[in-house]
Protein backbone atom coordinates (compact mmCIF):
# COMPACT_ATOMS: atom_id res chain seq x y z
CA UNK A 1 0.00 0.00 0.00
CA UNK A 2 1.01 3.59 -0.40
CA UNK A 3 2.44 5.12 2.73
CA UNK A 4 0.46 7.75 4.63
CA UNK A 5 0.04 8.74 8.29
CA UNK A 6 -2.42 6.58 10.19
CA UNK A 7 -5.70 8.37 10.85
CA UNK A 8 -8.20 6.39 12.86
CA UNK A 9 -11.82 6.29 11.77
CA UNK A 10 -14.11 7.63 14.46
CA UNK A 11 -16.17 5.12 16.40
CA UNK A 12 -19.38 6.63 15.05
CA UNK A 13 -18.60 6.28 11.36
CA UNK A 14 -17.16 2.80 11.93
CA UNK A 15 -20.28 1.70 13.82
CA UNK A 16 -22.70 3.23 11.32
CA UNK A 17 -20.96 1.69 8.30
CA UNK A 18 -20.42 -1.75 9.86
CA UNK A 19 -23.84 -2.11 11.49
CA UNK A 20 -25.64 -1.04 8.33
CA UNK A 21 -23.55 -3.44 6.22
CA UNK A 22 -24.35 -6.27 8.64
CA UNK A 23 -28.09 -5.52 8.49
CA UNK A 24 -28.22 -5.18 4.70
CA UNK A 25 -26.38 -8.45 4.07
CA UNK A 26 -28.29 -10.33 6.79
CA UNK A 27 -31.56 -9.13 5.31
CA UNK A 28 -30.51 -10.15 1.82
CA UNK A 29 -29.43 -13.67 2.76
CA UNK A 30 -32.44 -14.26 5.04
CA UNK A 31 -35.17 -13.60 2.48
CA UNK A 32 -35.01 -16.98 0.72
CA UNK A 33 -35.61 -18.71 4.07
CA UNK A 34 -38.73 -16.56 4.52
CA UNK A 35 -40.29 -17.24 1.10
CA UNK A 36 -42.42 -20.28 2.06
CA UNK A 37 -43.86 -18.40 5.05
CA UNK A 38 -44.47 -15.27 2.99
CA UNK A 39 -46.10 -17.42 0.29
CA UNK A 40 -48.64 -18.81 2.76
CA UNK A 41 -49.35 -15.43 4.31
CA UNK A 42 -49.94 -13.45 1.13
CA UNK A 43 -51.49 -16.38 -0.76
CA UNK A 44 -49.05 -16.22 -3.67
CA UNK A 45 -46.95 -18.99 -5.24
CA UNK A 46 -43.25 -19.05 -4.46
CA UNK A 47 -42.56 -18.81 -8.19
CA UNK A 48 -44.12 -15.33 -8.14
CA UNK A 49 -42.25 -14.35 -5.00
CA UNK A 50 -38.99 -15.29 -6.76
CA UNK A 51 -39.08 -11.66 -7.90
CA UNK A 52 -38.46 -10.66 -4.28
CA UNK A 53 -34.98 -12.11 -4.80
CA UNK A 54 -34.32 -11.37 -8.47
CA UNK A 55 -35.91 -7.92 -8.34
CA UNK A 56 -33.65 -6.94 -5.45
CA UNK A 57 -30.54 -7.93 -7.41
CA UNK A 58 -31.82 -6.35 -10.62
CA UNK A 59 -32.26 -2.93 -9.04
CA UNK A 60 -29.02 -3.31 -7.09
CA UNK A 61 -27.12 -3.93 -10.32
CA UNK A 62 -28.48 -0.72 -11.81
CA UNK A 63 -27.91 1.41 -8.70
CA UNK A 64 -24.64 0.21 -7.11
CA UNK A 65 -22.35 2.39 -9.25
CA UNK A 66 -24.75 5.32 -9.55
CA UNK A 67 -25.23 5.59 -5.78
CA UNK A 68 -21.47 5.75 -5.26
CA UNK A 69 -21.23 8.49 -7.88
CA UNK A 70 -24.05 10.41 -6.23
CA UNK A 71 -22.21 10.22 -2.93
CA UNK A 72 -19.07 11.63 -4.51
CA UNK A 73 -21.02 14.53 -6.04
CA UNK A 74 -23.80 15.35 -3.54
CA UNK A 75 -22.12 14.23 -0.35
CA UNK A 76 -21.47 10.72 0.91
CA UNK A 77 -23.17 11.21 4.27
CA UNK A 78 -26.25 12.72 2.63
CA UNK A 79 -26.64 9.85 0.16
CA UNK A 80 -25.86 7.26 2.87
CA UNK A 81 -28.67 8.73 4.99
CA UNK A 82 -30.92 8.62 1.94
CA UNK A 83 -30.12 4.93 1.57
CA UNK A 84 -30.97 4.32 5.23
CA UNK A 85 -34.29 6.16 4.84
CA UNK A 86 -35.14 4.14 1.76
CA UNK A 87 -34.20 0.92 3.54
CA UNK A 88 -36.39 1.76 6.55
CA UNK A 89 -39.32 2.64 4.29
CA UNK A 90 -38.95 -0.56 2.28
CA UNK A 91 -38.83 -2.68 5.44
CA UNK A 92 -42.05 -1.09 6.70
CA UNK A 93 -43.73 -1.55 3.31
CA UNK A 94 -42.81 -5.23 3.17
CA UNK A 95 -43.81 -5.90 6.79
CA UNK A 96 -47.24 -4.33 6.23
CA UNK A 97 -47.84 -6.01 2.87
CA UNK A 98 -50.67 -8.46 2.37
CA UNK A 99 -49.92 -9.18 -1.27
CA UNK A 100 -47.07 -10.41 -3.42
CA UNK A 101 -46.96 -7.03 -5.18
CA UNK A 102 -46.19 -5.26 -1.92
CA UNK A 103 -43.45 -7.70 -0.98
CA UNK A 104 -41.83 -7.69 -4.41
CA UNK A 105 -42.13 -3.92 -4.77
CA UNK A 106 -40.66 -3.38 -1.33
CA UNK A 107 -37.77 -5.70 -2.09
CA UNK A 108 -36.99 -3.86 -5.32
CA UNK A 109 -36.87 -0.59 -3.37
CA UNK A 110 -34.68 -2.39 -0.86
CA UNK A 111 -32.29 -3.34 -3.67
CA UNK A 112 -31.67 0.34 -4.34
CA UNK A 113 -31.35 1.07 -0.62
CA UNK A 114 -28.96 -1.79 0.08
CA UNK A 115 -26.68 -0.92 -2.83
CA UNK A 116 -26.58 2.72 -1.71
CA UNK A 117 -25.78 1.84 1.91
CA UNK A 118 -22.95 -0.50 0.93
CA UNK A 119 -21.44 1.85 -1.64
CA UNK A 120 -21.55 5.00 0.48
CA UNK A 121 -20.71 3.22 3.74
CA UNK A 122 -17.44 2.04 2.23
CA UNK A 123 -16.72 5.53 0.92
CA UNK A 124 -17.36 7.10 4.31
CA UNK A 125 -14.84 4.76 5.89
CA UNK A 126 -12.27 5.40 3.18
CA UNK A 127 -12.22 9.14 3.82
CA UNK A 128 -12.51 8.89 7.62
CA UNK A 129 -9.26 6.96 8.01
CA UNK A 130 -5.90 6.57 6.30
CA UNK A 131 -2.88 4.31 6.25
CA UNK A 132 -2.97 1.12 8.28
CA UNK A 133 -5.98 2.41 10.22
CA UNK A 134 -7.93 2.62 7.00
CA UNK A 135 -7.17 -1.02 6.27
CA UNK A 136 -8.29 -2.02 9.76
CA UNK A 137 -11.55 -0.13 9.30
CA UNK A 138 -12.14 -1.76 5.93
CA UNK A 139 -11.37 -5.16 7.45
CA UNK A 140 -13.97 -4.57 10.18
CA UNK A 141 -16.46 -3.54 7.49
CA UNK A 142 -15.69 -6.70 5.53
CA UNK A 143 -16.09 -8.86 8.60
CA UNK A 144 -19.45 -7.24 9.40
CA UNK A 145 -20.63 -7.86 5.83
CA UNK A 146 -19.56 -11.50 5.92
CA UNK A 147 -21.06 -12.05 9.37
CA UNK A 148 -24.37 -10.56 8.26
CA UNK A 149 -24.54 -12.79 5.21
CA UNK A 150 -23.75 -15.88 7.27
CA UNK A 151 -26.16 -15.07 10.09
CA UNK A 152 -29.08 -13.99 7.91
CA UNK A 153 -30.66 -17.41 7.19
CA UNK A 154 -30.42 -18.52 10.82
CA UNK A 155 -31.76 -15.22 12.19
CA UNK A 156 -34.55 -15.24 9.63
CA UNK A 157 -35.50 -18.79 10.60
CA UNK A 158 -35.57 -17.94 14.31
CA UNK A 159 -37.73 -14.87 13.71
CA UNK A 160 -40.24 -16.76 11.56
CA UNK A 161 -40.96 -19.01 14.54
CA UNK A 162 -40.92 -16.21 17.15
CA UNK A 163 -42.49 -13.22 15.41
CA UNK A 164 -43.59 -14.31 11.96
CA UNK A 165 -41.66 -13.40 8.82
CA UNK A 166 -42.54 -9.71 9.32
CA UNK A 167 -40.33 -9.61 12.41
CA UNK A 168 -37.12 -9.58 10.35
CA UNK A 169 -38.16 -6.42 8.53
CA UNK A 170 -39.40 -4.63 11.66
CA UNK A 171 -36.13 -5.36 13.47
CA UNK A 172 -34.03 -4.36 10.47
CA UNK A 173 -36.00 -1.12 10.18
CA UNK A 174 -35.34 -0.39 13.85
CA UNK A 175 -31.61 -1.02 13.58
CA UNK A 176 -31.35 1.11 10.43
CA UNK A 177 -33.33 3.86 12.16
CA UNK A 178 -30.83 3.83 15.04
CA UNK A 179 -28.03 4.41 12.52
CA UNK A 180 -29.59 7.71 11.40
CA UNK A 181 -28.93 9.85 14.52
CA UNK A 182 -25.59 8.10 14.96
CA UNK A 183 -24.61 9.16 11.44
CA UNK A 184 -25.91 12.70 11.90
CA UNK A 185 -23.96 13.18 15.14
CA UNK A 186 -20.68 11.49 14.36
CA UNK A 187 -20.08 11.38 10.58
CA UNK A 188 -18.70 14.35 8.69
CA UNK A 189 -19.84 15.16 5.19
CA UNK A 190 -17.38 14.54 2.36
CA UNK A 191 -17.35 14.84 -1.41
CA UNK A 192 -14.95 14.21 -4.26
CA UNK A 193 -14.25 17.65 -5.75
CA UNK A 194 -12.21 16.15 -8.58
CA UNK A 195 -15.04 13.97 -9.90
CA UNK A 196 -17.24 15.11 -12.74
CA UNK A 197 -20.72 16.15 -11.57
CA UNK A 198 -22.23 14.24 -14.47
CA UNK A 199 -24.30 11.19 -13.46
CA UNK A 200 -25.01 8.45 -15.97
CA UNK A 201 -28.77 8.17 -15.40
CA UNK A 202 -29.36 6.81 -18.90
CA UNK A 203 -26.92 3.97 -18.31
CA UNK A 204 -28.63 3.18 -15.00
CA UNK A 205 -32.01 2.83 -16.69
CA UNK A 206 -30.58 0.80 -19.55
CA UNK A 207 -28.94 -1.71 -17.19
CA UNK A 208 -32.39 -2.37 -15.72
CA UNK A 209 -33.86 -2.67 -19.22
CA UNK A 210 -31.19 -5.20 -20.16
CA UNK A 211 -31.83 -7.41 -17.13
CA UNK A 212 -35.57 -7.17 -16.46
CA UNK A 213 -36.76 -8.70 -19.78
CA UNK A 214 -34.23 -11.55 -19.48
CA UNK A 215 -35.43 -12.39 -15.98
CA UNK A 216 -39.06 -12.14 -17.10
CA UNK A 217 -38.39 -14.46 -20.06
CA UNK A 218 -36.62 -16.99 -17.84
CA UNK A 219 -39.50 -16.86 -15.36
CA UNK A 220 -42.29 -17.17 -17.92
CA UNK A 221 -40.58 -18.91 -20.84
CA UNK A 222 -41.93 -22.36 -19.95
CA UNK A 223 -45.50 -21.05 -19.73
CA UNK A 224 -45.27 -18.77 -22.75
CA UNK A 225 -43.18 -21.07 -24.91
CA UNK A 226 -39.55 -20.39 -25.72
CA UNK A 227 -40.36 -19.42 -29.30
CA UNK A 228 -43.44 -17.36 -28.46
CA UNK A 229 -43.68 -13.70 -29.41
CA UNK A 230 -43.63 -12.68 -25.74
CA UNK A 231 -40.45 -14.58 -24.92
CA UNK A 232 -38.61 -13.56 -28.07
CA UNK A 233 -39.81 -10.00 -27.55
CA UNK A 234 -38.25 -9.94 -24.07
CA UNK A 235 -34.90 -11.10 -25.41
CA UNK A 236 -35.14 -8.55 -28.23
CA UNK A 237 -35.71 -5.71 -25.75
CA UNK A 238 -32.67 -6.85 -23.77
CA UNK A 239 -30.46 -7.00 -26.87
CA UNK A 240 -31.57 -3.57 -28.07
CA UNK A 241 -31.05 -2.13 -24.57
CA UNK A 242 -27.57 -3.65 -24.44
CA UNK A 243 -26.63 -2.07 -27.77
CA UNK A 244 -27.97 1.28 -26.59
CA UNK A 245 -26.07 0.90 -23.31
CA UNK A 246 -22.78 0.35 -25.11
CA UNK A 247 -23.39 3.39 -27.33
CA UNK A 248 -24.28 5.55 -24.34
CA UNK A 249 -21.25 4.46 -22.32
CA UNK A 250 -18.97 5.45 -25.19
CA UNK A 251 -20.30 8.99 -25.19
CA UNK A 252 -21.14 10.07 -21.64
CA UNK A 253 -18.70 12.12 -19.57
CA UNK A 254 -18.77 9.80 -16.53
CA UNK A 255 -19.86 6.34 -17.76
CA UNK A 256 -21.38 3.72 -15.52
CA UNK A 257 -18.99 1.20 -17.09
CA UNK A 258 -15.66 2.26 -18.54
CA UNK A 259 -15.68 0.08 -21.66
CA UNK A 260 -11.95 0.55 -22.12
CA UNK A 261 -11.39 -1.57 -19.02
CA UNK A 262 -12.97 -4.55 -20.75
CA UNK A 263 -9.78 -4.85 -22.79
CA UNK A 264 -8.02 -5.95 -19.60
CA UNK A 265 -8.04 -9.76 -19.71
CA UNK A 266 -7.46 -10.22 -15.98
CA UNK A 267 -10.29 -7.83 -15.09
CA UNK A 268 -12.66 -9.56 -17.50
CA UNK A 269 -11.74 -12.99 -16.16
CA UNK A 270 -12.07 -11.85 -12.54
CA UNK A 271 -15.42 -10.17 -13.23
CA UNK A 272 -16.81 -13.29 -14.91
CA UNK A 273 -15.61 -15.37 -11.94
CA UNK A 274 -17.37 -12.99 -9.55
CA UNK A 275 -20.55 -13.15 -11.63
CA UNK A 276 -20.49 -16.97 -11.64
CA UNK A 277 -19.80 -17.26 -7.92
CA UNK A 278 -22.43 -14.71 -6.89
CA UNK A 279 -25.01 -16.20 -9.20
CA UNK A 280 -24.31 -19.75 -8.09
CA UNK A 281 -24.40 -18.94 -4.37
CA UNK A 282 -27.67 -17.04 -4.64
CA UNK A 283 -29.28 -19.70 -6.81
CA UNK A 284 -28.12 -22.50 -4.52
CA UNK A 285 -29.52 -20.83 -1.41
CA UNK A 286 -32.80 -20.21 -3.22
CA UNK A 287 -33.44 -23.82 -4.28
CA UNK A 288 -32.06 -25.37 -1.08
CA UNK A 289 -34.19 -23.14 1.16
CA UNK A 290 -37.32 -24.21 -0.70
CA UNK A 291 -36.34 -27.88 -0.85
CA UNK A 292 -35.43 -28.11 2.81
CA UNK A 293 -38.77 -26.57 3.89
CA UNK A 294 -41.07 -28.35 1.44
CA UNK A 295 -43.26 -30.90 3.28
CA UNK A 296 -42.77 -33.36 0.40
CA UNK A 297 -38.96 -33.07 0.70
CA UNK A 298 -37.17 -32.62 4.04
CA UNK A 299 -40.07 -30.78 5.68
CA UNK A 300 -37.90 -28.55 7.87
CA UNK A 301 -39.14 -25.52 9.75
CA UNK A 302 -37.75 -22.12 8.78
CA UNK A 303 -35.39 -22.25 11.76
CA UNK A 304 -34.18 -25.73 10.86
CA UNK A 305 -33.64 -24.68 7.25
CA UNK A 306 -31.63 -21.67 8.39
CA UNK A 307 -29.58 -23.91 10.63
CA UNK A 308 -29.08 -26.33 7.72
CA UNK A 309 -27.32 -23.62 5.69
CA UNK A 310 -24.64 -23.15 8.36
CA UNK A 311 -22.19 -25.76 6.96
CA UNK A 312 -22.06 -23.82 3.69
CA UNK A 313 -21.55 -20.51 5.48
CA UNK A 314 -19.01 -22.06 7.84
CA UNK A 315 -16.98 -23.48 4.95
CA UNK A 316 -16.69 -20.01 3.40
CA UNK A 317 -15.66 -18.48 6.72
CA UNK A 318 -13.14 -21.20 7.60
CA UNK A 319 -11.39 -21.05 4.24
CA UNK A 320 -11.06 -17.24 4.26
CA UNK A 321 -7.73 -17.01 6.16
CA UNK A 322 -6.13 -19.47 3.75
CA UNK A 323 -7.31 -17.90 0.48
CA UNK A 324 -4.72 -15.13 0.10
CA UNK A 325 -1.68 -17.19 1.22
CA UNK A 326 -2.72 -20.00 -1.14
CA UNK A 327 -3.24 -17.59 -4.02
CA UNK A 328 0.18 -16.11 -3.27
CA UNK A 329 1.79 -19.54 -3.57
CA UNK A 330 0.02 -20.97 -6.63
CA UNK A 331 -1.15 -17.75 -8.31
CA UNK A 332 -4.53 -16.05 -8.36
CA UNK A 333 -5.64 -17.74 -11.59
CA UNK A 334 -4.85 -21.23 -10.33
CA UNK A 335 -6.60 -20.50 -7.05
CA UNK A 336 -9.73 -19.42 -8.90
CA UNK A 337 -9.59 -22.53 -11.10
CA UNK A 338 -9.06 -24.80 -8.08
CA UNK A 339 -12.04 -23.22 -6.36
CA UNK A 340 -14.25 -23.90 -9.35
CA UNK A 341 -12.96 -27.49 -9.53
CA UNK A 342 -14.11 -28.07 -5.95
CA UNK A 343 -17.44 -26.35 -6.63
CA UNK A 344 -17.99 -28.49 -9.72
CA UNK A 345 -17.33 -31.66 -7.72
CA UNK A 346 -19.76 -30.64 -4.98
CA UNK A 347 -22.53 -29.74 -7.39
CA UNK A 348 -21.93 -32.95 -9.36
CA UNK A 349 -22.68 -34.96 -6.22
CA UNK A 350 -25.87 -32.95 -5.57
CA UNK A 351 -26.98 -33.63 -9.13
CA UNK A 352 -27.63 -37.24 -8.07
CA UNK A 353 -29.95 -36.27 -5.20
CA UNK A 354 -32.77 -38.71 -4.50
CA UNK A 355 -36.00 -38.27 -2.58
CA UNK A 356 -34.65 -40.71 0.01
CA UNK A 357 -31.70 -38.49 0.94
CA UNK A 358 -31.62 -37.29 4.53
CA UNK A 359 -30.07 -33.95 5.42
CA UNK A 360 -26.77 -35.54 6.41
CA UNK A 361 -26.16 -36.51 2.79
CA UNK A 362 -26.12 -32.81 1.82
CA UNK A 363 -23.49 -31.70 4.32
CA UNK A 364 -20.37 -33.02 2.56
CA UNK A 365 -21.20 -31.64 -0.91
CA UNK A 366 -22.25 -28.31 0.59
CA UNK A 367 -18.98 -27.91 2.47
CA UNK A 368 -16.91 -28.79 -0.60
CA UNK A 369 -18.75 -26.56 -3.06
CA UNK A 370 -19.05 -23.62 -0.66
CA UNK A 371 -15.37 -23.77 0.22
CA UNK A 372 -14.60 -23.94 -3.49
CA UNK A 373 -16.75 -20.94 -4.33
CA UNK A 374 -15.16 -18.97 -1.50
CA UNK A 375 -11.71 -19.90 -2.76
CA UNK A 376 -12.57 -18.81 -6.30
CA UNK A 377 -14.18 -15.58 -5.20
CA UNK A 378 -11.37 -14.23 -2.99
CA UNK A 379 -8.58 -13.82 -5.58
CA UNK A 380 -11.12 -12.88 -8.25
CA UNK A 381 -12.42 -10.03 -6.12
CA UNK A 382 -8.99 -8.66 -5.21
CA UNK A 383 -7.66 -9.33 -8.71
CA UNK A 384 -10.43 -7.33 -10.36
CA UNK A 385 -9.01 -4.10 -8.94
CA UNK A 386 -5.36 -5.06 -8.52
CA UNK A 387 -5.09 -5.64 -12.27
CA UNK A 388 -5.74 -2.03 -13.28
CA UNK A 389 -4.03 1.32 -12.87
CA UNK A 390 -4.57 3.26 -9.67
CA UNK A 391 -6.87 5.81 -11.32
CA UNK A 392 -9.04 2.97 -12.66
CA UNK A 393 -9.52 1.14 -9.36
CA UNK A 394 -12.89 2.76 -8.61
CA UNK A 395 -14.28 1.89 -12.04
CA UNK A 396 -13.02 -1.68 -11.84
CA UNK A 397 -14.57 -2.07 -8.40
CA UNK A 398 -17.88 -0.77 -9.74
CA UNK A 399 -17.83 -3.26 -12.61
CA UNK A 400 -17.20 -6.22 -10.31
CA UNK A 401 -19.87 -5.15 -7.82
CA UNK A 402 -22.37 -4.69 -10.62
CA UNK A 403 -21.47 -8.17 -11.92
CA UNK A 404 -22.21 -9.58 -8.46
CA UNK A 405 -25.78 -8.26 -8.62
CA UNK A 406 -26.24 -9.28 -12.25
CA UNK A 407 -25.13 -12.82 -11.46
CA UNK A 408 -27.56 -13.07 -8.56
CA UNK A 409 -30.52 -11.80 -10.58
CA UNK A 410 -30.05 -13.94 -13.69
CA UNK A 411 -28.87 -17.13 -11.99
CA UNK A 412 -31.76 -17.29 -9.52
CA UNK A 413 -34.25 -16.81 -12.36
CA UNK A 414 -32.57 -19.49 -14.48
CA UNK A 415 -32.30 -22.06 -11.68
CA UNK A 416 -35.86 -21.40 -10.51
CA UNK A 417 -37.07 -21.99 -14.06
CA UNK A 418 -35.18 -25.30 -14.36
CA UNK A 419 -36.24 -26.45 -10.90
CA UNK A 420 -39.94 -25.76 -11.53
CA UNK A 421 -39.98 -27.13 -15.07
CA UNK A 422 -38.24 -30.41 -14.24
CA UNK A 423 -40.30 -30.97 -11.10
CA UNK A 424 -43.55 -30.35 -12.99
CA UNK A 425 -42.50 -32.67 -15.81
CA UNK A 426 -41.80 -35.48 -13.34
CA UNK A 427 -45.13 -34.94 -11.59
CA UNK A 428 -46.94 -35.13 -14.91
CA UNK A 429 -45.07 -38.37 -15.62
CA UNK A 430 -46.67 -39.89 -12.54
CA UNK A 431 -43.81 -39.68 -10.07
CA UNK A 432 -44.39 -38.80 -6.40
CA UNK A 433 -44.07 -35.24 -5.19
CA UNK A 434 -40.86 -36.11 -3.35
CA UNK A 435 -39.29 -37.67 -6.42
CA UNK A 436 -40.31 -34.72 -8.57
CA UNK A 437 -38.80 -32.23 -6.15
CA UNK A 438 -35.55 -34.21 -5.98
CA UNK A 439 -35.42 -34.31 -9.77
CA UNK A 440 -35.83 -30.54 -9.93
CA UNK A 441 -33.08 -29.99 -7.38
CA UNK A 442 -30.81 -32.44 -9.18
CA UNK A 443 -31.30 -30.66 -12.50
CA UNK A 444 -30.59 -27.32 -10.82
CA UNK A 445 -27.39 -28.71 -9.29
CA UNK A 446 -26.34 -30.03 -12.69
CA UNK A 447 -26.79 -26.57 -14.20
CA UNK A 448 -24.68 -25.03 -11.43
CA UNK A 449 -22.04 -27.74 -11.92
CA UNK A 450 -21.82 -26.70 -15.58
CA UNK A 451 -21.43 -23.04 -14.57
CA UNK A 452 -18.68 -23.96 -12.14
CA UNK A 453 -16.93 -26.07 -14.76
CA UNK A 454 -17.04 -23.09 -17.12
CA UNK A 455 -15.37 -21.05 -14.38
CA UNK A 456 -12.33 -23.33 -14.51
CA UNK A 457 -11.66 -22.09 -18.03
CA UNK A 458 -11.20 -18.55 -16.74
CA UNK A 459 -7.63 -19.51 -15.86
CA UNK A 460 -6.86 -18.65 -19.49
CA UNK A 461 -7.90 -15.02 -18.92
CA UNK A 462 -6.45 -14.63 -15.43
CA UNK A 463 -3.10 -16.34 -15.88
CA UNK A 464 -1.28 -12.98 -15.76
CA UNK A 465 -2.55 -12.23 -12.27
CA UNK A 466 0.34 -12.42 -9.81
CA UNK A 467 0.28 -11.86 -6.06
CA UNK A 468 3.74 -10.92 -4.88
CA UNK A 469 3.03 -10.68 -1.18
CA UNK A 470 0.19 -11.08 1.26
CA UNK A 471 -1.21 -7.77 2.46
CA UNK A 472 -3.87 -6.81 4.97
CA UNK A 473 -6.08 -5.35 2.26
CA UNK A 474 -5.97 -8.63 0.32
CA UNK A 475 -7.14 -10.52 3.41
CA UNK A 476 -9.94 -8.00 3.89
CA UNK A 477 -10.93 -8.33 0.25
CA UNK A 478 -11.09 -12.11 0.57
CA UNK A 479 -13.19 -11.91 3.74
CA UNK A 480 -15.94 -9.82 2.17
CA UNK A 481 -15.60 -11.02 -1.42
CA UNK A 482 -18.93 -12.85 -1.48
CA UNK A 483 -20.80 -9.60 -0.88
CA UNK A 484 -18.67 -6.71 -2.07
CA UNK A 485 -15.41 -5.93 -3.83
CA UNK A 486 -12.94 -4.03 -1.67
CA UNK A 487 -10.59 -2.21 -4.06
CA UNK A 488 -6.91 -3.02 -3.65
CA UNK A 489 -3.84 -1.22 -4.86
CA UNK A 490 -2.29 -2.53 -8.10
CA UNK A 491 0.33 -5.17 -7.38
CA UNK A 492 2.38 -4.71 -10.52
CA UNK A 493 3.15 -1.03 -10.16
CA UNK A 494 5.47 0.82 -7.78
CA UNK A 495 3.93 2.33 -4.72
CA UNK A 496 3.38 6.07 -4.69
CA UNK A 497 3.50 8.42 -1.73
CA UNK A 498 -0.09 9.54 -2.22
CA UNK A 499 -2.82 8.49 0.17
CA UNK A 500 -4.85 5.48 -1.07
CA UNK A 501 -8.50 6.06 -1.81
CA UNK A 502 -10.73 3.03 -1.22
CA UNK A 503 -13.42 3.45 -3.83
CA UNK A 504 -16.61 1.53 -4.43
Amino acid sequence: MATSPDRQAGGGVLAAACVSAFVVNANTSAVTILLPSISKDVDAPVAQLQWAVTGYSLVGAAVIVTSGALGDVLGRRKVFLGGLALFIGSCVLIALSHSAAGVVGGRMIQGAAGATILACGMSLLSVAASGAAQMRAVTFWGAASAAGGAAGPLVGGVLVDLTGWQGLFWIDAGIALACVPLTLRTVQESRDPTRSRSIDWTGTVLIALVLAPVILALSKGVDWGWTSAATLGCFAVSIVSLVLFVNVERRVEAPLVDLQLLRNRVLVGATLAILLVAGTINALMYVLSLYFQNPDALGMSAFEAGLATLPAAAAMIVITPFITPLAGKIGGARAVALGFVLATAGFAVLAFVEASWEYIAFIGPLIVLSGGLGLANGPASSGSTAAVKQEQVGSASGISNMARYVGGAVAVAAVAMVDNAVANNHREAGESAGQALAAGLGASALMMAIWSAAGILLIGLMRRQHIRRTRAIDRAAAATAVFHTIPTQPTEQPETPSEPRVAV
Side-chain angles (χ1 to χ4, degrees):
M1 292 294 298
T3 58
S4 61
D6 285 2
R7 187 175 74 253
Q8 297 281 351
V13 65
L14 188 62
C18 291
V19 170
S20 61
F22 178 92
V23 169
V24 166
N25 286 305
N27 182 283
T28 301
S29 63
V31 166
T32 52
I33 291 291
L34 306 182
L35 289 183
S37 298
I38 297 174
S39 175
K40 293 176 184 177
D41 234 20
V42 303
D43 193 25
V46 171
Q48 184 179 356
L49 290 172
Q50 165 212 308
W51 280 89
V53 178
T54 55
Y56 178 96
S57 296
L58 186 159
V59 176
V63 169
I64 184 68
V65 177
T66 302
S67 59
L70 279 173
D72 289 342
V73 173
L74 301 179
R76 300 181 180 101
R77 187 182 77 157
K78 183 184 299 182
V79 177
F80 179 75
L81 287 168
L84 287 173
L86 206 59
F87 186 82
I88 294 166
S90 66
C91 284
V92 173
L93 172 60
I94 295 168
L96 295 176
S97 293
H98 298 287
S99 67
V103 173
V104 171
R107 281 289 290 167
M108 294 181 80
I109 295 171
Q110 209 160 72
T116 300
I117 289 169
L118 293 179
C120 292
M122 171 68 79
S123 290
L124 286 172
L125 280 183
S126 76
V127 299
S130 62
Q134 185 187 68
M135 293 305 96
R136 286 194 295 271
V138 170
T139 301
F140 279 128
W141 187 91
S145 298
L154 183 58
V155 172
V158 170
L159 290 175
V160 166
D161 292 341
L162 294 179
T163 66
W165 60 267
Q166 296 92 339
L168 174 75
F169 297 100
W170 286 121
I171 291 172
D172 285 349
I175 296 173
L177 182 60
C179 288
V180 173
L182 177 65
T183 302
L184 288 171
R185 287 199 308 266
T186 64
V187 179
Q188 294 183 348
E189 186 60 279
S190 64
R191 295 176 176 82
D192 182 1
T194 65
R195 190 200 183 280
S196 166
R197 298 187 64 83
S198 174
I199 303 294
D200 186 8
W201 296 110
T202 304
T204 301
V205 173
L206 287 173
I207 282 290
L209 288 177
V210 170
L211 293 176
V214 169
I215 296 171
L216 181 60
L218 291 174
S219 303
K220 294 291 187 179
V222 174
D223 298 328
W224 291 345
W226 292 107
T227 58
S228 67
T231 302
L232 295 177
C234 284
F235 287 126
V237 170
S238 290
I239 292 171
V240 171
S241 299
L242 180 60
V243 172
L244 291 174
F245 177 77
V246 171
N247 288 332
V248 166
E249 298 308 281
R250 287 174 174 171
R251 291 175 171 79
V252 294
E253 182 179 349
L256 206 64
V257 175
D258 184 354
L259 298 179
Q260 297 295 322
L261 287 178
L262 300 184
R263 297 178 180 178
N264 186 313
R265 291 165 58 91
V266 174
L267 173 61
V268 170
T271 301
L272 290 174
I274 289 168
L275 186 149
L276 286 172
V277 171
T280 303
I281 290 173
N282 281 278
L284 174 68
M285 291 299 104
Y286 177 84
V287 292
L288 279 186
S289 297
L290 299 182
Y291 187 82
F292 286 167
Q293 295 182 71
N294 196 301
D296 293 316
L298 296 188
M300 294 180 174
S301 67
F303 169 70
E304 291 170 335
L307 197 62
T309 65
L310 284 183
M316 286 191 164
I317 293 172
V318 169
I319 200 172
T320 295
F322 306 102
I323 292 175
T324 301
L326 178 62
K329 289 181 180 179
I330 68 174
R334 290 190 179 92
V336 170
L338 176 59
F340 279 122
V341 167
L342 294 174
T344 302
F347 280 118
V349 173
L350 288 183
F352 292 97
V353 62
E354 297 286 347
S356 59
W357 279 26
E358 299 292 338
Y359 169 67
I360 194 171
F362 289 86
I363 296 177
L366 283 179
I367 290 175
V368 172
L369 69 88
S370 297
L373 291 173
L375 175 58
N377 206 38
S381 185
S382 59
S384 65
T385 56
V388 299
K389 298 178 180 178
Q390 175 60 32
E391 62 269 19
Q392 297 173 322
V393 166
S395 296
S397 172
I399 290 172
S400 64
N401 282 317
M402 185 185 296
R404 194 170 275 108
Y405 281 100
V406 171
V410 176
V412 170
V415 165
M417 177 270 295
V418 169
D419 186 41
N420 291 331
V422 172
N424 289 336
N425 287 342
H426 280 257
R427 286 192 192 96
E428 293 171 1
E431 294 185 13
S432 68
Q435 291 172 325
L437 289 170
L441 178 59
S444 300
L446 178 60
M447 172 180 278
M448 289 183 277
I450 293 172
W451 293 345
S452 299
I456 300 171
L457 303 178
L458 295 176
I459 191 172
L461 290 174
M462 299 184 64
R463 65 181 183 272
R464 295 180 182 176
Q465 181 186 353
H466 302 291
I467 300 176
R468 295 180 179 175
R469 57 192 173 94
T470 299
R471 303 168 301 170
I473 186 60
D474 295 314
R475 294 184 186 275
T480 190
V482 175
F483 308 100
H484 200 83
T485 294
I486 294 177
T488 60
Q489 294 277 8
T491 58
E492 298 183 359
Q493 297 180 26
E495 297 181 356
T496 64
S498 60
E499 178 179 330
R501 177 176 180 269
V502 180
V504 294

